[in-house]
Amino acid sequence: MAFLVLIMMIKEYIKKINPKYLKIALLALGGVFVVIFITFVVIYNKREELLAKAIQSAKHKALQEYDINLTIRKAYFSGLSEVTLEEVSARPKDRAELLNIQYLQVAVKLWPLIGGNVKISAVNLHDGKLSFVKKDSLSNYDFLFRRKEVDTTKAPAKMNLAELANKLINSVLYKIPENMKLKDFLTTYHDDSTSQQVNIPEAIIIDGDLSSTIEINGKEAVWHALGELKPDKKQLYLKLFADGKAVELPIIRKKYGLTLRFDTLETDLKNVTMNGDELQMSGGWAAKNLIIHHWRISENNIVIPEGRIAADVLIGENYIGLDESSEVSIKKLRAHPYGKITFKPYKTISLGVRMPQIAAQDLFDSFPQGMFDNLEGIRVSGKLKYDLDLYVDIDHPDSVRLSAAMQKDGFRINSWGKTNLAKISTPFTYTPYENGQAMRSFVVGPSNPNFTPINEVSQDLKNAILTAEDPSFFSHKGFVEEAFKASIPANLKAKAFKRGGSTISMQLVKNAYLGREKTLARKIEEILMVWLIENNNVVSKSRMFEVYLNIIEWGRNVYGIGEASRYYFGKHPSQLNLGESIYLASIVPKPKSGLYPFQYDGHLKSYLSGYFRLIGRLMARRGMVADDSNNYGFYNVVLREGLRPARPDTVEVDTVKVYDFEKEIEDTKGFLERLFGGGKKDKEQDK
């Protein structure tokens, strides 16, 4: 009924139009249709010629830009907008064949094509093979990583990241067909040490609904992929799972030592829009029974029964960001990571995380199994909340901004789990490890003749260690924000990880509970354990410092200040003078090089005098010692005679050790100067 009313209204409107104008309009419209018809006829009659030119152009570009010989035995139009290719081959020069397809039929959408956009509507492919081959250092896919030569005579084009990302996403989405039939497509990888086969016997897309079977190494494993693909709406959903076992690609473990497997993995792209000059994307990932293992991450398998990530990505003209609305969830834990990388006018990085208040037990129960094994089984009560915010200007690294805080509400430790963090409050047995091997075990307590109570350690030694390692130890709660802030620019300037801002509390936990494993999980566990000890009065500060001095390494198989003072100077720790104390503080970061700074007569080499002046002045500034123009005991340090090196004319100089130890001292000096500052007076006295 409504349609009839609309027709009647149109007729009434036409009656009111001047017949002269109506005639002109009809003639113009007819002319447009005639032009379109003629254009269509011309293109239709010449389409085979245009196809041949397009194929020739593709062959030329492949050869010129990528050194790939592209051959197509037969190409023809099999429909109005449908092209069929037979026996397609791509082979890089002097390399193994990369691609071979026996039959490929592609249909494109007409209306987008008129506007210059190639949108694929259907694909029919069978008997295809994609082969990645690497022999020695040569591969048939290295062209993918080859940089294009830049024409330096032309002004560099202005780069807009949002526009670039939008074009890239569109180019990918436009290639996803609404309908597809793929049969027998094999992908292989082979190098000198490993090989992998991934075969797709069949994959079908019908009106955007995907179903596929994937066979790994014959039928060693069978995967299934399901999905809903809506490229026109910029929406994608994919789900991957396997028959009877977890999904894992063995080649990743063989080549990179990374174990990555899961029962199901889901990913989706929900929205992509250009909002002014900013590209906004939202999507996410979800996994069940995800298992991760790599020697850099953790010694054990990390198991996440169920995890989900929802990400809102923002891309502007010169920045890439992650909005705070993004969320990571594992069991009951919810955290909101955010960040932004800006490339112009300055290179800056900002990142952070917001963890809303959560029941403390829920937080500990949400930690992935195998990640923090010392904390497994711990029972706590109360609530916790965490915030982290970091900003770094890469071009001006000293302008670092950092804030981090764990806020507690009624938090209490009810019982320990696998490891009792209070064990160091009383005598305990300590076993140092080196390269995974136990060195020896000894009691940290009065029954050990080398154990030295804190009140029997030279005050100069205690002050020197505190000044060099952690000046605010007795006032902080496990962490020194300024030390972390100072370490970031130091590492950026060195373009390597040189300083971590560790406190004595962190060093103690690492030595007493965690050993020497350098993994991401161990570092995070170390931070959590320090927070538990320091913020819940588990162990007194005095006892922590006492244990630290009695277990840290001071030389090859030398542990604790009792052994160290007798080993180097034949003294009890209470008898150490200022110079000996500063020297012992200098070797804490690199204890195995402890004997190198000495000359054959037992005195120290001159390069170490700068370190003595730095530590001595810092101690004097805090009222620990008097000002000393004689290098704060440098000339009073004399090594025990039995340890002195041979004369220089009887032994070769180990230049590797010279460089390593002196560089360590200079790095330590530089870090301390950045952390505590150095006045004009200090600089003048160095001259």
Side-chain angles (χ1 to χ4, degrees), residues 6-128:
L6 180 61
I7 295 296
M8 294 299 294
M9 291 175 64
I10 293 173
K11 286 183 176 181
E12 290 297 323
Y13 181 75
I14 291 174
K15 288 179 180 179
K16 296 178 182 179
I17 298 176
N18 189 315
K20 178 180 178 182
Y21 296 141
L22 183 61
K23 185 177 180 180
I24 293 172
L26 290 172
L27 287 172
L29 187 61
V32 170
F33 278 117
V34 169
V35 171
I36 292 174
F37 177 75
I38 293 173
T39 303
F40 177 79
V41 171
V42 171
I43 293 175
Y44 184 83
N45 288 329
K46 289 185 171 289
R47 60 181 185 160
E48 297 291 347
E49 181 182 340
L50 293 172
L51 177 61
K53 287 183 178 180
I55 291 174
Q56 191 60 37
S57 175
K59 289 181 178 180
H60 179 76
K61 184 176 181 179
L63 187 61
Q64 292 297 313
E65 295 188 12
Y66 304 107
D67 286 335
I68 291 178
N69 290 310
L70 177 64
T71 59
I72 301 173
R73 191 185 69 81
K74 194 174 182 181
Y76 54 90
F77 276 92
S78 51
L80 184 62
S81 59
E82 188 176 77
V83 175
T84 298
L85 307 176
E86 296 181 11
E87 296 184 25
V88 180
S89 173
R91 181 188 292 271
K93 278 187 176 180
D94 304 319
R95 301 284 196 277
E97 184 179 60
L98 178 65
L99 177 68
N100 186 288
I101 298 174
Q102 290 299 303
Y103 182 88
L104 173 62
Q105 189 178 72
V106 180
V108 299
K109 297 180 180 181
L110 281 175
W111 287 112
L113 188 62
I114 293 173
N117 293 322
V118 179
K119 292 187 177 182
I120 296 175
S121 62
V123 170
N124 185 2
L125 184 154
H126 63 75
D127 297 316

Side-chain angles (χ1 to χ4, degrees), residues 131 154 270 316 557 562 666:
S131 304
K154 295 181 180 179
K270 294 180 179 178
N557 203 29
E666 289 304 312

Side-chain angles (χ1 to χ4, degrees), residues 578 609 612-613 616-617 620 625-635 681 685-687:
L578 177 60
S609 62
F612 272 66
R613 287 196 300 274
R617 287 172 188 165
V625 296
D627 281 328
D628 181 4
S629 59
N630 199 30
N631 283 351
Y632 298 91
F634 175 78
Y635 300 105
K681 179 181 177 182
Q685 289 179 355
D686 282 340
K687 294 180 181 179

